[in-house]
Amino acid sequence: MTIRLGTRRSALATAQATWVADRLRQLGHDVELTPITTFGDTSSRPLSEIGGTGVFATGIRLALHRGEIDVAVHSLKDLPVIPEPGLHIAAIPVREDPRDALVARDGLTLGELPSGSVVGTGSPRRAAQLAALGLGLQVRSIRGNVGTRLGLVADGTCDAIVLARAGLARLGQLDVVTEVLDPLQMLSAPGQGALAVEVRADDQAMVSAVAVLDDDDTRASVNAERAVLAALEAGCTAPIGVLAEVSEGDAGQTELWIRAFVGAEDGSASLRRSTSGPTSRAHALGEQLAAQLLEDGADQITALHDGPRPGDPPTEPPGAGARNRPPAASTPASPAKPTRPDQPAPERAQ
């Protein structure tokens, strides 16, 4: 039997799918890639306008539902937190480094960029955290594949751009990185750097074939991160950063440490909170951290309800499944500092 593995057509998506395919081949399976074009790939509008959450996954999921493919590979951060009926994430393989990376002119780091420098990103989360740093940077909204975005620095349109380090690593382009951003400066998107390998829930042969790729620590981390997102009722375009990491606790036991950021996109207000606990309570810890954020005013800082919600009007063609909710009113709250000690300083690329 040949496993038909569905993926978006972009270079990054293909690289991710090929990574999964190669591991399935090592287990003795025949695998062929099936490229699929999604609504998110064909639209040039900002993600915050077309729904954000799910716009890259919907077309692939439809192909999986229809039986046109057997396995789908997604960037986990692109998936809605609400499970898709009839489908099952059978594996979340070991995660790439989830941090964000700066690509700047002249090899500059974030702190070396002069005030007024133009930094490109398509992410409200990154824009909010850049503004909160108070460096006087001008954030420009950009879209396009990795090559297109890198070109904006090369041609002088932007002084720098911020991308996920994981994507550059999978494309073999880490040499362009001028700084890997410390989570104290920039918390990543929930699920960033992780892949979701999805199958039909009733296809037990595929569930069994794929499940061996699952990594327990990665699954616990991203489950906690996505629990924060779900409890805040936010979509992937909301200015929210969450990072969960499995580490050794004070008593030598394994624990999960979760940090979260919620901020106004203009940098006028922000919250940073953290919590920790056993990995077995990953989902509950995420909900606990979200409750703390809400108690401290997260819902007053920014419009959290920006993702697709049941009953919202469609922003894709009929059957595509994307939803979008208008932003709610917001009022600023007081900034807060992380509750854990400082971590190592930002890493400069070699």
Side-chain angles (χ1 to χ4, degrees), residues 4 14 31 94 103 116 149 152 158 207 210 217 232 245 270-271 302:
R4 299 164 299 168
T14 301
V31 184
V94 63
V103 179
R149 297 186 186 207
L152 297 176
C158 294
V207 171
V210 168
D217 286 352
L232 292 176
E245 299 171 287
S270 64
L271 281 174
T302 188

Side-chain angles (χ1 to χ4, degrees), residues 4 30 179 190 245 259 318 322 339 350:
R4 299 164 299 168
D30 291 327
E179 183 182 10
E245 299 171 287
R259 290 175 280 181
T339 57
Q350 301 299 317

Side-chain angles (χ1 to χ4, degrees), residues 216-237:
D216 289 342
D217 286 352
T218 300
R219 185 176 282 271
S221 297
V222 300
N223 280 350
E225 293 166 10
R226 286 165 65 79
V228 173
L229 199 63
L232 292 176
E233 298 185 328
C236 70
T237 59

Side-chain angles (χ1 to χ4, degrees), residues 55-224:
V55 297
F56 293 115
T58 301
I60 300 175
R61 282 180 154 176
L62 285 173
L64 190 56
H65 277 301
R66 293 169 180 160
E68 297 166 3
I69 57 175
D70 306 301
V71 176
V73 176
H74 310 279
S75 291
L76 188 58
K77 70 176 183 178
D78 292 336
L79 289 185
V81 293
I82 300 173
E84 176 75 3
L87 301 184
H88 172 61
I89 298 176
I92 302 174
V94 63
R95 186 184 207 172
E96 265 285 356
D97 187 332
R99 293 176 295 174
D100 281 317
L102 185 79
V103 179
R105 61 173 176 83
D106 305 323
L108 298 176
T109 64
L110 192 61
E112 293 168 345
L113 286 169
S115 179
S117 295
V118 176
V119 180
T121 176
S123 162
R125 168 188 63 83
R126 291 175 180 141
Q129 292 185 85
L130 287 170
L133 290 173
L135 299 176
L137 303 173
Q138 296 183 41
V139 179
R140 175 173 296 180
S141 179
I142 60 173
R143 279 211 62 189
N145 59 32
V146 171
T148 299
R149 297 186 186 207
L150 292 175
L152 297 176
V153 177
D155 67 15
T157 300
C158 294
D159 295 294
I161 58 171
V162 182
L163 300 167
R165 183 192 181 281
L168 294 170
R170 290 184 175 119
L171 291 170
Q173 294 185 273
L174 285 176
D175 58 312
V176 302
V177 175
T178 57
E179 183 182 10
V180 178
L181 299 178
D182 190 283
L184 286 174
Q185 297 174 298
M186 182 81 66
L187 278 176
S188 52
Q192 185 162 301
L195 302 178
V197 187
E198 194 169 45
V199 300
R200 288 182 294 279
D202 61 359
D203 190 342
Q204 289 304 311
M206 285 299 106
V207 171
S208 298
V210 168
V212 294
L213 302 180
D214 198 60
D215 180 73
D216 289 342
D217 286 352
T218 300
R219 185 176 282 271
S221 297
V222 300
N223 280 350

Side-chain angles (χ1 to χ4, degrees), residues 292-320:
Q292 183 181 357
L293 286 164
L294 289 171
E295 182 179 344
D296 293 341
D299 56 345
Q300 298 177 3
I301 291 177
T302 188
L304 295 179
H305 303 281
D306 75 331
R309 305 299 300 278
D312 287 342
T315 56
E316 295 195 33

Side-chain angles (χ1 to χ4, degrees), residues 3-24:
I3 297 175
R4 299 164 299 168
L5 192 152
T7 175
R8 292 169 53 209
R9 295 176 180 271
S10 73
L12 177 55
T14 301
Q16 293 174 165
T18 300
W19 186 92
V20 173
D22 287 345
R23 275 138 192 84
L24 290 173

